[in-house]
Structure formats: C-alpha cells, structure tokens
C-alpha cells in the first residue's frame, strides 16, 4: 500500500526549527560547562620547538591547558588496503610538526568562552618555519615533503588502461586535449562544527554530543584514538545544521573534547567560529584533469584518457582516507556516456593546506564537468548540435542494465528522456527568445546543459572495491510498536537537515497501515541504534529507509498473523490500512491496529506462541548501489562591462526513482543547485604562496545569497530501481553535481562569439574581462 | 477517559540550558553617553584606547576578530537629537547617528543620490543599525558615504575637548581607516553645502550587499546638453576615496563623453590587487563604472 509514500507531507522537523526550538550542540551547555578554545598554528609548515603553557594557566578563568603530549599523543590513521596507498598519521594535537595553518596544537579549557580565548592567546609556541608545499605543482616537484618519505603522492591509482588507446588517438577523426580545473571549496554548513563532551559516572561513559553526520564512525574514531572500548563512548548527534560531507569525517577536535571531559570530569563545549570553519575544518574539490578524448566524425566518443590530480591537503581524513576523490574520479569519469576505451590515473597529493574530505558530490561535479565540456568541444569542432551529440553518446533506453568500460553496471535510468524533456521545457518557456533579448540589450547570454547520473547508496558490495579498512555500506533499522499502536524506528543513518523524521515515517506508515504522525524516528545516538554508517553519499533513504521498510514489513507480518488469529481469517487476507486490520473483500470486519498492539502486549497469553511478546523487528539493507540521473539547463548572462556572470533561469529534470516526498526532493535539488552555482561562479578557498589562507571570512569566501541564486524549476521522472527496497534512488548530491557543468557550458555559449573558452571553475568576472 | 493534549515536540523544549554565545572580543569596559559633552568627557577620561560605539556594524566585527582591542567603549546610540536629515540654507545636514536606512527612505530634493546610494550599503539589518557618522569615522575607502561626502564636497563636523571644528571631506580621509578625527573627538554631523541634482553612484561586487570592488560616483552641472562642471570620485582603487582629474566642462552630455571619461579615469588609477580582483581588473571596472555613473547622473 502506498498512502504516504509520494505524498507532499510537510516536514515534521520544520516546526521546531522555524520556532527556534531546535536543539543544537550550542543549545546544550549546562550550568557547569567548561569552554574549550584551540591554539592553532599560524604557519602552514613549521617544527614545534616548544610549547609554553605557563602564562595561559595564569589567565583568570583558565582551568587546564592540554597539548598532544599531555594526552599521550593520540592519532587517527585511515587505511586503504592497497599497495598504491600510503597511510599517514593524523595527530589529534600536533606535537612536533604542523602541516597547515590553523592546525591545532593545544586546547585551553576555561570557565567561559572569553577566558578560553584569552588563554589560547597566552600559550607561547616556539616555531621554526619550514618550506611550504602550496599546490599540486610543488607537491609533484617533491623538493619538500609534507610527510617524510612519501614523495607527497599518497595515492596513485591506475584504474583502467586500455592498450588500444594510443592507436585510437592517433587515428581518430578528432582528438581533443584539454585541462580542467576546479578550485578548493568549503562545504560551509550553516552550523559549523560543535561538540559538547561530558563524563557520565553512572554509565562509565564519555557522552559526546556532536554536530556530525556519522555518530558511529565518530565513536569508533574516538575509541581508536584514545585506546578505549567503544562501549565507553556514546556519541549523540542532536539537531545538526547541515554537513554536506564536512561532518562525515571524524574531527580532531571531537576526540580532544572527549579526552578533556574524561580528564576533567566536567562537561566541555567547543563551538567553532566561522573563521575556524573556513580554515581548520576540511575542504574539497581541488582537482585538475589532463584529458585526451577521441571522437569519430559523427561525434561518437572513441576513447578517453585522464590524468587526475587531487590536492588532498595535509592529512588523510578518517575513515574515508585521502583516496576518496581520486578513486571516485578515476572509476566514474565516463558517467552516462558509452566510452569504448578508457584509461584513468588518479592521484592524491599532500600539500600544506587543510585536509580534504568528501564534499557533496565527491569528484562528480568535476567528472561531469569534464565529460560535458568534452561533448561541447567535440560538437563545436565537428559542427554537430551540442545537445544532439549527447544523444549519440549516452546510454539509451533499451540498453539498461549497461556495464561500462569502467566495470560499473548502470541500472535503469532516463538519460535520454530527461534530456528531451529539459529541451522541451526550456523551449516552451521561451529561453531561446530570452537569450536573444538579452543579447539585444548588450549583454552576452548563453544556455548550457549538463546530463549526468549519480551512483548513490553504495552498500558494501560496491564500497568494498575501494578496500578501506573501515568499509561503510550496510545499515540496520529496528521497528518497535508500543501497546498503543505507535511506533519507534531506529536507524544508523543520521539525518542532518534532510527531513528523515518525515520520510522514514512515511515509508514505515505505509507498511503498517498507520499515520506518519504515529511513527517517531530515533537516529544519531550510538547507544540507541545498531551500528550504522550515518548519512552521506545519498545513501539514507535507499539503505536506511530500505532497512526500515523491511523491518516494518516484518512487524506488519506479525500484525497480520495476530489479526488473522483474532478475526479467524487467513493471514493473506488481512490488510493493514488507515489504522485498521481489515479483511480483503469483507468490508465490515476489522480490528483497530491499536487493539492488536494492546493485546500483543497486555494479553499476550491469549495469542498463539508465534504471535506473543511484543511487536518488533530488526533488519539490515546492503544494496549494490543505484544510479539516479538528471538533466540541468541554465540561462546565464554576462555583463561585458564588468564581467559579472548571473545565472538567470535554471531547469532541472531529475529521476530518483520512487519519490518518497516531493517537497523533500525539491528541497534537496534546490540546495544542491545553489551549491553547484556557488562552485561555478563564486566560491573558492584561497591561499598565498606561504600557505596562508586568504579566504578566512564570509567577506572573502563568497557563498552566494538568495540575491544571487535564480529561481529553479524542477520536473520529475520516476524510473524505479530494482536494487532498492523502496524503488527509490539516492538524490542528495545531484544538484551540486550537475550545476557547475551546466553553468560553465552556458558561459562558454555566451562567450563563443568572442573566441573565449573556459575549462575551470569558478569563472570569475575578472576572467571574462582578461 | 481523560484526554491530554500532547504538546508538540517543539513546545516541550522550554528547558533550554544556559544561554550563551560565541562572541570573543578581548576584555573591555562598556560606558554609555547621554549627550555629546558627556561623550567627550568620558573619552578624555578613558584615554586614547577608548572608542566610540555607534551602530557597531564595523567595530564589533573587528573586535570579534580581535583586530580592534579598545580598552573601553562609549556607546553613543542613546544620545538624542543626532538622528536627522535637515535642509539648511540650500544645503543638507545629516546627524551622526542617522541610520543608513533613514537616509535610504528619506527623499530630499536635490540630494536623491544619497537615498539611492544607501541601497548599496550592506544588507537591510546592517542599514538599520549602521550610522552615517560611524561610516565616515570608519573611513573605508569603498564606503558609499565616504565617497559621496568627497564628491559633494561636504564638511565633517567634529566636536572635542578643544571645541568644535569643521574639516572638508576632501581632507578628512587619510587612508585605510585613518581620518582627520582625533581619538578624543566625535563626529556630530555632516554638512553638504549645495544640492546635486545630477549625481549618481554605482559600483560592482559579485554578491549583493558586499563592499564594492570598485565604486564610482559622479556629479555634473548641466546646461541643456552641455556639461558646465564635472566631478568624479572613486572607491576601491586606493586607500582613500580618489578624486579623478577629468574635466568634462564644455563637452556634450552623451555616451561618447561618458565612455571617454571612463577610459581617462581608468588611465589615472593604479589600484591594488586582492582576492576580489587584480589591479588590472579594477582598472577595467573603473572605465565601465565611471561611464555608467556619468550616464546615470546626466539622466
Ligand atoms: C556584512 C556587512 C556589509 C557591509 N557593507 C557595507 C557597504 O557596502 N558599504 C558601507 O559603507 N558599509 C558597509 N558596512 C559597514 C556599515 O555601513 C557600518 O555600519 C559602518 O561602516 C560603521 O557604522 P557604525 O555606526 O556601525 O559604526 P561602528 O561600527 O559602531 O563604529 C565604526 C568606527 O567608527 C567610530 N565611530 C562611530 N561613530 C562615531 C562618531 N560619531 N564619531 C567618531 N567616531 C565614531 C567607532 O569608534 C569605530 O572606530 C557593512 C557591514 C557589514 C557587517
């Protein structure tokens, strides 16, 4: 039955958020809470000669100053079990050497935030600055090493290498060589990182309330770094104000706070400010691609070779490792296009900059940009229509499931249908006429497309190919009905703005024939949920929601059994809808589900053995992954006088299989597209040659506002997935993945008459005028 | 059976713990002043490290970064009578505590450029708090009020322990947040001597509400289609508002004149480079924006 799946149910979360009654870490300080402030390196590369904390200890209100040595040098090490990977250690507080500006070297704990800040200023560190590796070029040169003995290349993977490629390139009617670049960006969640750790004597546990996407992984990280059993740590994610990947890795500060709370036996809180968030947390997407592609005279791609270089910063993040970007890029570059011959080398280079982590889209904004630019370049050189060339190359209806040259099997999607519909919609909406109008007004104007699919919901069958020592993928849900017929669902996923309290309730309500308001989701608490991998990689609805559906289905089976017994009918004839257990074809006979729940709990002796003792079930899901897809189009204008680029209209036709809640899907698309436009036109984390961050406030890091983001029109197609319990496909990242390529193509369309072509993001006004 | 209303989860959470926030200036003392003399007396007593606090839209941010570390703040926002726009002998006086938003919403004949330019300042909440005097005292080289006081040859009226004095805006701004005001003086008002019906300010930044990368302002006196006098002032091309040495007197008011003036202005400046744009880019912006400001001023 689907009464609720697909319905536009307003989000349960919204009311408390809009009333300012959400409960974020910063809302949780107790009266006796201490405040932490981190002492951070002012240099990108330096040896620590000494750390003198004596003056800081004298500051009024300061209780404790801790260095890495005081804590026993805790570290984390993320491991990929591959020869091509070099593991490196990340100390929780640097003790002998710092590798990026803002790296933490000590923590000051004080009675209030001001005193903590004053104490941090008073810590005296004797530094000896060293040479800096500011970028990939310097890392390649390897005159200086970020980690001794590594040559700066921490991962070097040749994923595919078709020996036929040189021949193909030599003989093809068209061979294109191009270099593509994307700047380093920040995921920039509205709430920065924040942690409150407290020791609980009753449970013998350190309880860590933290703004995270991955509570269990954080627990594992804290336990491993501090050498204590996982049982001694409880991680709770309260309301979390966004993450986008920045919070799917374990922060050093989280571990340090846990250690401090255990030592001081008092709650300790740390809420980072925006400057810390921009400089000391993780970044992503700083990549360059040197690509060769061959096409036949009709625009069909014949071969593709890519040298992919990722600037991964100073450390390998836990537990994903620094290989996450190069691996994704090298594996998935061909995307929706049928590439017959392929070679990809993916490398990750250490530099003296903040580490990178999986940021929404993880390399796919870049690989889509590469493929979509290649299509447009080939179209222009061959005189083929730029939209049509995609049709000639993409996986077409009837060809699914399609196994590509990269060994990936693409499940059924609507690649062609979404492109056709996008083209139809923008034509009907008069975009081409609007482009002409803008041009008559003296602006440059252009329309750009991007077509892509997005592998989502990686279970262990796919994640294991990466060979991470900690391989995420499965998730487990528990569904329990109480005596009043209401339900608590637990999940190992950990929503942080995606509306899971609503969408999981819709899924479970349909299985049990009850109202979503009768279903409450418990997530983000390692003591209350089974080990699970949290929320990232567009996994939650397919994996967590899939497990919840299975578990709810099992409970529904029990309910049907109970009803069958009480109504004296066959189990298969019992239907659960609208709060009643009815009998198929017999409209007048039914029992309220709440009555079944009451009897199971309070008069269980009246039931046959197999129906007794509660109504609960635990199930797991571990799918191979499923591809959602979309087509984006954008109309941009460029002011020839200032170089200002504005996205004016944006169209998305997306297909995420079965839609659980259109409101939530549209919200994800809009936010994602905004982040994609941001990456294409506004945002970049910059450093000077000494490795000093130069975009340290939101005056310099240009996150766009509502003033810069245009209206986004969204249309849906629904191609259900066979690999997903619900038929749904993940869709949390698509907006961010597709938008940069579409915007870049539109800019190039606008500037084509001037012979200018850009292959990098962001494109700045200055680029247009130079 | 009794039936209780279950409070929705949002209503149950009245039990929020201690309220606190992450602001982190260095220690300072706070003082409130009730009139101008009181302000001056308190500044004198508290010494040169004390600072006036007006709208706080520049000062508080700098304190939170610990870039500014005043030992004491004298809050002048409770002083009455300094929040005004007043016509005066053909000119206009603006009180130091007049909010940007008030200027934006008050149309004064001959000074339309002020209300229009106010729209370029930050965002709505910033315009509701930030003050005219604070902006002048802060002296940011791209600030709209700094540019327009220089363009319209206004006078900055200061009061201090040595009495009252007036400094021409053209001599007031000494570069990066330095002005002719002494630490013990307070700006009380700004005096614009004559109307400027043909004046305009335009600027460029990538995001709405940001400080300008380059701002251009222009004033013209016109007779029919001929330019009698002209004045152009730029922001974002140097440490203080820059008066451009381009005289358009005698030229026709047309596109060609504006374009050439833009080119001429660009040729005169040697702007700095930073993350928002290189010097070369700022030169190009100067050419475009000067032409646009002139066209708008003439319209
Ligand atoms: C996000 C953001 C965007 C902004 N964008 C712009 C913009 O585009 N254009 C722009 O012009 N401004 C912008 N501002 C700054 C804003 O206009 C400030 O309001 C203004 O610069 C300072 O005015 P204030 O009243 O807030 O002064 P405060 O911040 O209180 O004080 C600033 C300085 O002036 C001194 N001071 C204040 N009043 C007096 C006085 N009467 N006499 C002597 N000294 C005094 C203070 O001691 C301090 O040194 C922006 C601010 C923010 C936060």
């Amino acid at each position: 039955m689907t009464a609720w799946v697909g319905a536009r149910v307003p989000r349960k979360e919204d009311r408390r958020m809009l009333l300012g009654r959400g409960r974020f870490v910063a809302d949780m300080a107790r009266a006796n809470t201490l405040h932490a402030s981190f002492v951070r390196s002012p240099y990108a590369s330096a040896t620590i000669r000494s750390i003198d904390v004596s003056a800081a200890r004298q500051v009024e209100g300061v209780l404790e100053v801790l260095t890495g040595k005081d804590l026993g040098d805790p570290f984390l090490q993320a491991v990929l079990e591959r020869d091509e990977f070099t593991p490196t250690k990340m100390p929780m507080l640097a003790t002998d050497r710092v590798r990026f500006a803002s790296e933490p070297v000590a923590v000051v704990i004080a009675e209030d935030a001001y005193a903590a800040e004053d104490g941090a200023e008073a810590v005296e560190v004797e530094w000896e600055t060293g040479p800096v590796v500011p970028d990939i070029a310097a890392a390649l040169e390897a005159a200086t090493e970020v980690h001794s003995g590594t040559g700066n290349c921490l991962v070097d993977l040749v994923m595919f290498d078709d020996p036929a490629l040189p021949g193909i390139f030599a003989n093809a009617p068209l061979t294109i060589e191009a270099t593509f670049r994307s700047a380093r960006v920040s995921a920039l969640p509205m709430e920065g990182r924040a942690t409150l750790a407290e020791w609980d004597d009753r449970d013998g546990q350190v309880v860590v309330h933290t703004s995270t996407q991955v509570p269990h992984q954080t627990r594992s990280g804290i336990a491993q770094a501090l050498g204590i059993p996982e049982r001694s740590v409880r991680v709770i994610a309260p309301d979390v104000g966004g993450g986008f990947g920045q919070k799917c890795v374990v922060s050093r500060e989280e571990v340090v706070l846990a250690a401090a709370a255990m030592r001081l036996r008092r709650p300790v809180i740390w809420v980072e400010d925006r400057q810390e968030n921009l400089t000391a947390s993780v970044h992503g997407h700083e990549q360059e691609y040197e690509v060769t592609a061959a096409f036949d005279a009709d625009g069909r791609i014949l071969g593709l070779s890519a040298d992919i270089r990722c600037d991964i910063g100073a450390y390998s993040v836990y537990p994903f490792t620094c290989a996450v970007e190069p691996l994704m890029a090298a594996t998935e570059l061909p995307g929706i296009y049928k590439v017959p011959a392929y070679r990809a080398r993916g490398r990750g280079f250490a530099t003296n900059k903040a580490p990178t982590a999986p940021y929404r889209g993880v390399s796919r904004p870049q690989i889509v940009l590469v493929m979509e630019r290649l299509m447009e370049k080939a179209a222009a050189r061959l005189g083929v229509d730029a939209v049509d060339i995609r049709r000639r190359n993409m996986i077409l209806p009837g060809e699914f499931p399609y196994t590509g040259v990269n060994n990936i099997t693409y499940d059924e999607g609507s690649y062609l249908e979404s492109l056709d519909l996008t083209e139809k919609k923008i034509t009907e909406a008069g975009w081409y006429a609007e482009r002409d109008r803008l041009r008559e007004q003296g602006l440059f104007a252009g329309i750009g497309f991007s077509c892509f699919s997005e592998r989502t919901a990686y279970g262990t069958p796919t994640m294991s190919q990466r060979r991470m020592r900690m391989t995420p993928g499965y998730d487990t849900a528990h569904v329990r009905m109480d005596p009043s017929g209401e339900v608590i669902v637990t999940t190992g996923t950990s929503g942080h703005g995606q509306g899971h309290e609503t969408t999981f309730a819709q899924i479970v309500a349909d299985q049990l024939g009850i109202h979503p308001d009768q279903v409450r989701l418990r997530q983000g608490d390692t003591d209350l949920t089974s080990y699970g991998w949290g929320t990232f990689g567009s996994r939650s609805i397919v994996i967590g929601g899939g497990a919840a559906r299975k578990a709810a289905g099992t409970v529904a089976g029990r309910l049907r059994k109970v009803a069958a017994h009480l109504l004296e009918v066959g189990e298969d004839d019992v239907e659960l809808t609208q709060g009643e257990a009815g009998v198929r074809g017999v409209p007048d006979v039914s029992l309220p589900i709440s009555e079944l729940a009451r009897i199971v709990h309070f008069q269980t002796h009246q039931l046959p053995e197999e129906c007794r003792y509660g109504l609960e079930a635990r199930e797991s899901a571990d799918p191979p992954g499923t591809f959602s897809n979309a087509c984006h189009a954008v109309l941009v204008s460029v002011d020839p006088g200032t170089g200002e680029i504005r996205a004016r209209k944006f169209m998305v036709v997306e297909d995420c299989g079965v839609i659980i809640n259109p409101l939530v899907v549209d919200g994800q698309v809009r936010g994602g597209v905004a982040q994609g436009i941001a990456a294409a036109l506004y945002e970049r984390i910059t450093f000077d040659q000494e490795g000093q961050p130069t975009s340290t406030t939101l005056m310099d890091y240009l996150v766009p506002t509502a003033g810069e983001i245009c209206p986004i029109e969204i249309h849906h197609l629904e191609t259900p997935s066979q690999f997903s319990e619900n038929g749904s496909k993940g869709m949390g990242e698509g907006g961010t993945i597709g938008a940069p390529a579409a915007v870049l193509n539109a800019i190039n369309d606008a500037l084509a008459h001037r012979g200018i072509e850009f292959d990098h993001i962001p494109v700045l006004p200055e680029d247009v005028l130079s | 059976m009794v039936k209780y209303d279950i409070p929705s989860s949002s209503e149950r959470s009245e039990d929020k713990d201690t309220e606190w926030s992450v602001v982190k200036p260095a220690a300072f003392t706070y003082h409130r002043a009730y009139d101008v003399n009181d302000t001056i007396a308190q500044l004198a007593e508290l010494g040169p490290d004390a600072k006036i606090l007006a709208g706080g839209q520049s000062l508080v941010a700098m304190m939170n970064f610990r870039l500014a570390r005043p030992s004491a703040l004298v809050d002048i926002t409770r002083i009455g009578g300094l929040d005004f726009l007043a016509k005066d002998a053909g000119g206009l006086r603006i009180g130091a505590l007049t909010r940007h938003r008030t200027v934006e919403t008050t149309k004064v004949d001959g000074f339309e450029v002020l209300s229009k330019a106010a729209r370029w300042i930050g965002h709505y909440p910033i315009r509701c708090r930030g003050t005219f005097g604070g902006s002048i005292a802060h002296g940011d080289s791209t600030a709209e009020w700094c540019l327009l006081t220089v363009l319209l040859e206004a006078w900055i009226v200061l009061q201090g322990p040595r009495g009252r004095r007036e400094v021409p805006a053209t001599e007031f701004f000494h570069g990066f947040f330095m002005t002719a005001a002494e630490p013990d003086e307070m700006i009380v008002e700004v005096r614009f001597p004559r109307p400027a019906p043909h004046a305009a300010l335009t600027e460029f930044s990538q995001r709405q509400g940001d400080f300008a990368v380059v701002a251009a302002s222009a004033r013209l006196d016109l007779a029919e289609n001929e330019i009698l006098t002209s004045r152009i002032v730029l922001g974002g091309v140097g440490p203080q508002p820059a008066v451009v040495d381009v005289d358009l007197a005698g030229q026709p008011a047309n596109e060609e004149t504006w374009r050439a003036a833009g080119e001429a202005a660009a040729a005169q400046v040697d702007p700095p480079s930073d993350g928002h744009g290189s010097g070369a880019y700022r030169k190009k912006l100067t050419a475009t924006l000067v032409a646009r400001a002139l066209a708008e001023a003439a319209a």
Side-chain angles (χ1 to χ4, degrees):
Chain A
M1 277 306 287
T2 69
W4 295 105
V5 165
R8 304 172 75 84
V9 179
R11 303 199 316 169
K12 292 184 175 202
E13 296 88 339
D14 288 346
R15 186 182 155 82
R16 69 172 188 273
M17 295 300 172
L18 294 174
L19 288 171
R21 284 176 174 164
R23 214 179 163 82
F24 298 85
V25 170
D27 298 318
M28 302 180 79
R30 319 255 187 271
N32 62 340
T33 299
L34 300 172
H35 295 255
S37 179
F38 285 86
V39 179
R40 298 185 181 279
S41 168
Y43 302 109
S45 169
T47 307
I48 301 169
R49 285 281 197 68
S50 65
I51 303 177
D52 182 353
V53 303
S54 51
R57 283 181 181 280
Q58 299 306 310
V59 172
E60 199 184 321
V62 169
L63 262 89
E64 180 67 285
V65 185
L66 298 168
T67 63
K69 287 210 177 79
D70 297 326
L71 296 180
D73 253 337
F75 68 90
L76 281 173
Q77 188 169 33
V79 175
L80 209 61
E81 291 172 336
R82 286 174 178 269
D83 294 341
E84 312 97 312
F85 175 83
T86 311
T88 47
K89 286 183 182 173
M90 176 164 70
M92 297 299 96
L93 290 171
T95 50
D96 53 349
R97 182 173 170 187
V98 286
R99 295 184 171 85
F100 70 96
S102 284
E103 182 165 2
V105 295
V107 64
V108 176
I109 293 157
E111 294 287 357
D112 62 54
Y114 300 90
E117 200 78 14
D118 292 344
E121 268 188 352
V123 171
E124 283 169 29
V125 184
E126 209 185 319
W127 308 97
E128 189 183 313
T129 58
V132 173
V133 179
D135 50 30
I136 294 174
L140 262 166
E141 222 171 82
T144 305
E145 288 185 322
V146 178
H147 294 272
S148 309
T150 60
N152 293 327
C153 184
L154 300 188
V155 53
D156 183 354
L157 303 151
V158 177
M159 298 294 287
F160 306 94
D161 192 3
D162 193 321
L165 272 173
I168 293 172
F169 291 143
N171 299 316
L174 174 68
T175 304
I176 294 171
E177 285 178 18
T179 304
F180 303 89
R181 284 199 175 80
S182 70
R184 181 174 271 251
V185 287
S186 166
L188 210 84
M190 189 147 6
E191 182 203 23
R193 296 173 302 159
T195 302
L196 168 74
E198 55 188 337
W199 176 256
D200 187 323
D201 262 317
R202 185 157 169 259
D203 290 327
Q205 264 186 331
V206 59
V207 183
V208 183
H209 307 266
T210 191
S211 185
T212 183
Q213 300 171 230
V214 290
H216 278 99
Q217 296 184 61
T218 303
R219 186 184 75 184
S220 298
I222 292 170
Q224 286 173 25
L226 300 181
I228 54 178
E230 297 224 5
R231 188 202 64 72
S232 311
V233 185
R234 177 179 184 182
V235 172
I236 299 174
D239 281 327
V240 172
F244 311 111
Q246 193 179 84
K247 299 171 185 169
C248 83
V249 295
V250 179
S251 284
R252 306 157 89 166
E253 291 85 350
E254 291 174 316
V255 177
V256 172
L257 267 269
M262 287 171 74
R263 282 172 80 105
L264 294 161
R265 303 281 161 114
R266 274 178 71 178
V268 186
I269 193 167
W270 166 73
V271 179
E272 77 176 350
D273 61 27
R274 189 53 68 184
Q275 193 165 40
E276 282 179 301
N277 184 259
L278 281 168
T279 59
S281 77
V282 288
H283 302 141
H285 292 191
E286 185 171 11
Q287 305 184 353
E288 49 190 51
Y289 291 69
E290 233 174 270
V291 179
T292 310
F295 289 83
D296 72 13
D298 296 329
R300 284 191 185 78
I301 191 163
L302 300 173
L304 175 67
S305 163
D307 184 9
I308 301 160
R309 300 182 288 259
C310 305
D311 179 333
I312 56 100
Y315 292 101
S316 192
V317 289
Y318 175 96
F320 285 89
T321 81
C322 63
V324 62
E325 285 197 2
L327 257 171
M328 174 75 88
T331 317
E332 308 215 357
L333 177 62
I336 63 168
Y337 298 113
K338 292 176 287 189
V339 176
Y342 181 48
R343 172 191 152 87
R345 180 181 188 189
R347 282 180 285 177
F349 291 99
T351 57
N352 288 116
K353 296 189 280 200
T356 56
Y359 166 38
R360 198 174 194 176
V362 188
S363 291
R364 283 160 302 177
Q366 289 69 33
I367 61 181
V368 169
L369 184 145
V370 169
M371 295 308 292
E372 295 302 293
R373 287 297 306 135
L374 285 175
M375 289 297 146
E376 300 251 337
K377 282 172 190 283
R381 308 272 197 291
L382 294 167
V384 179
D385 179 75
V387 176
D388 228 38
I389 196 170
R390 295 175 164 94
R391 295 195 177 96
R392 296 182 192 180
N393 283 291
M394 63 175 45
I395 306 164
L396 293 172
E399 295 177 341
F400 296 103
Y402 176 89
T403 300
V405 66
N406 51 355
N407 263 330
I408 291 177
T409 299
Y410 297 78
D411 59 335
E412 186 90 22
S414 54
Y415 303 170
L416 181 64
E417 297 88 331
S418 57
L419 175 59
D420 288 348
L421 186 58
T422 304
E423 203 181 23
K424 178 162 170 269
K425 289 284 177 194
I426 66 167
T427 309
E428 284 172 4
W431 283 29
Y432 292 98
E434 172 81 9
R435 181 175 65 178
D436 292 341
R437 237 189 332 275
L438 291 166
R439 287 176 177 172
E440 276 158 28
Q441 288 168 19
L443 295 170
F444 303 149
I447 293 172
F449 289 85
S450 90
C451 301
F452 63 96
S453 67
E454 169 197 8
R455 178 145 59 148
T456 66
Y458 294 69
T460 59
T462 17
M463 275 290 188
S464 57
Q465 289 162 14
R466 293 187 184 175
R467 298 188 231 154
M468 296 159 70
R469 182 163 294 163
M470 286 180 72
T471 301
Y474 60 89
D475 240 294
T476 303
H478 180 253
V479 170
R480 184 177 66 207
M481 186 173 271
D482 68 23
S484 65
E486 308 224 335
V487 167
I488 286 182
V489 182
T490 74
T491 177
T493 57
S494 197
H496 46 280
Q498 297 88 344
H500 291 171
E501 291 170 36
T502 310
T503 47
F504 277 60
Q506 288 175 260
I507 292 170
V508 168
D510 273 355
Q511 291 300 303
L512 294 170
I514 58 178
H515 193 281
D517 284 352
Q518 296 175 289
V519 181
R520 162 125 184 69
L521 185 69
R522 275 245 165 242
Q523 55 182 345
D525 185 330
T526 56
D527 267 16
L528 296 183
T529 65
S530 299
Y531 201 98
W533 293 92
T535 289
F536 59 88
S538 305
R539 68 190 301 276
S540 298
I541 271 300
V542 177
I543 306 182
R549 181 186 152 114
K550 268 167 114 177
T554 306
V555 173
R558 294 280 295 276
L559 282 172
R560 271 194 284 273
K561 249 193 196 114
V562 175
H565 173 77
L566 295 172
L567 295 169
E568 298 180 348
V569 296
E571 243 173 77
D572 294 342
D573 291 329
V574 176
E575 267 180 341
L576 305 173
T577 58
Q578 299 191 327
E580 298 281 326
V583 182
R584 201 161 291 142
V586 191
D588 298 338
V589 180
S590 73
L591 275 172
I593 289 170
S594 57
E595 177 61 9
L596 303 181
R598 189 191 66 78
I599 292 171
V600 171
H601 288 91
F602 296 158
Q603 291 173 316
T604 209
H605 55 277
Q606 293 182 358
L607 298 172
E609 183 79 28
E610 73 271 18
C611 295
R612 292 182 192 167
Y613 314 128
L615 287 161
E616 57 190 306
R618 186 179 304 277
E619 299 283 355
S620 298
D622 193 16
T626 172
F627 283 86
S628 57
N629 66 274
C631 180
H632 288 191
V634 60
L635 171 68
V636 306
S637 66
V638 181
D639 181 336
T642 60
E644 178 180 41
I645 307 166
R646 285 199 78 92
R648 292 178 166 258
K649 289 171 187 288
F650 210 104
M651 182 81 70
V652 175
V653 175
E654 72 82 44
D655 186 342
C656 63
V658 172
I659 295 174
I660 309 295
N661 185 333
L663 293 174
V664 170
V665 169
D666 288 358
Q668 289 291 311
V669 171
R670 288 212 166 82
V673 167
Q675 277 182 319
I677 293 174
L681 296 179
Y682 300 99
E683 296 182 3
R684 57 187 183 134
I685 294 276
T686 51
F687 296 84
D688 66 15
Q689 279 302 302
E690 271 71 60
Q692 285 296 331
T694 47
S695 41
T696 63
T697 75
L698 294 183
M699 288 181 85
D700 297 314
Y701 188 77
L702 302 184
V703 57
T705 69
E708 284 72 49
I709 301 298
C710 60
I712 299 162
E713 188 176 321
I714 303 168
H715 299 277
H716 303 285
L717 297 172
E718 281 196 50
T719 311
S721 167
Q722 312 126 355
F723 298 128
S724 157
E725 294 293 331
N726 307 302
S728 310
K729 303 168 175 183
M731 52 76 51
E733 297 164 279
T736 316
I737 292 170
V743 173
L744 186 59
N745 280 334
I747 295 169
N748 283 317
D749 179 40
L751 300 176
H753 67 289
R754 304 203 118 202
I756 301 173
E757 193 174 335
F758 293 120
D759 288 321
H760 69 271
I761 51 169
V763 180
L764 301 175
E766 168 150 19
D767 299 332
V768 175
L769 294 197
S770 47
Chain B
M1 201 169 92
V2 186
K3 210 163 167 8
Y4 285 96
D5 278 342
I6 298 174
S8 81
S9 61
S10 51
E11 277 149 2
R12 243 180 296 173
S13 47
E14 282 297 357
D15 58 337
K16 276 205 177 166
D17 299 287
T18 39
E19 288 279 334
W20 63 284
S21 53
V22 204
V23 293
K24 31 180 68 172
F28 62 89
T29 58
Y30 172 89
H31 310 264
R32 186 174 288 172
Y34 291 93
D35 60 41
V36 173
N37 289 331
D38 181 22
T39 309
I40 291 157
Q42 292 203 38
L43 285 175
E45 194 184 315
L46 294 164
D49 291 338
K51 266 196 170 300
I52 286 175
L53 173 68
Q57 297 304 293
S58 296
L59 180 57
V60 172
M62 290 182 40
M63 287 170 66
N64 283 342
F65 282 112
R66 298 196 169 195
L67 293 171
R69 292 167 169 259
S71 58
L73 292 183
V74 180
D75 182 350
I76 59 170
T77 54
R78 304 299 205 286
I79 297 178
L82 285 182
D83 181 357
F84 63 84
L85 288 94
K87 276 225 143 187
D88 169 33
L92 176 71
R93 293 163 49 226
I94 298 183
L97 285 175
T98 310
R99 302 300 191 277
H100 307 323
R101 177 69 181 160
T102 309
V103 182
E104 183 183 344
T105 53
T106 311
K107 303 259 179 312
V108 184
D109 279 350
F111 290 96
E112 290 82 359
V113 63
L114 293 172
S115 63
K116 278 195 200 155
R119 295 298 305 271
W120 290 103
I121 303 176
H123 306 276
Y124 176 79
I126 292 159
R127 295 199 291 274
C128 291
R129 284 173 179 261
T131 65
F132 205 92
S135 183
I136 299 296
H138 190 58
D140 188 296
S141 86
T142 62
E144 288 73 11
W145 298 151
C146 298
L147 252 65
L148 289 180
T149 51
V150 174
L151 181 79
L152 306 185
E153 294 164 285
W155 294 77
I156 315 299
V157 184
L158 299 163
Q159 200 159 321
R162 295 162 301 281
R164 201 174 162 104
R165 62 180 180 126
E166 297 198 2
V167 182
T170 47
E171 292 165 22
F172 188 77
F173 302 105
H174 292 178
F176 287 123
F177 307 142
M178 292 189 311
T179 69
E182 299 294 334
D184 58 359
E185 284 181 311
M186 171 179 167
I187 295 172
V188 288
E189 65 179 60
V190 174
R191 202 165 57 72
F192 293 90
R194 67 173 181 106
H198 291 293
L201 178 147
T202 191
E203 59 185 58
F204 179 73
S205 62
Q206 264 192 283
R207 282 185 312 192
Q208 203 171 304
D210 279 354
F211 278 100
V213 181
V214 170
S217 60
R219 190 192 74 196
L220 296 168
D221 287 312
L222 296 169
E224 300 290 308
N225 215 17
E226 193 192 307
I227 300 166
L228 300 176
T229 68
S230 70
R231 187 171 168 81
I232 298 167
V233 178
L234 301 173
V237 298
Q240 66 240 65
V243 182
V244 175
D245 185 18
V246 173
D247 187 358
L248 303 179
Q251 297 196 34
N254 63 24
E255 282 302 320
E256 182 43 37
T257 302
W258 314 144
R259 201 197 50 74
E263 298 293 335
Q268 278 181 28
V269 296
D270 183 17
S273 295
D274 64 24
H276 296 281
S278 67
Y281 174 59
R282 284 189 157 92
K283 262 171 124 61
K284 289 177 187 155
L285 277 180
T286 300
T288 298
L289 295 172
V290 164
R292 288 181 185 177
L294 284 165
E296 196 186 322

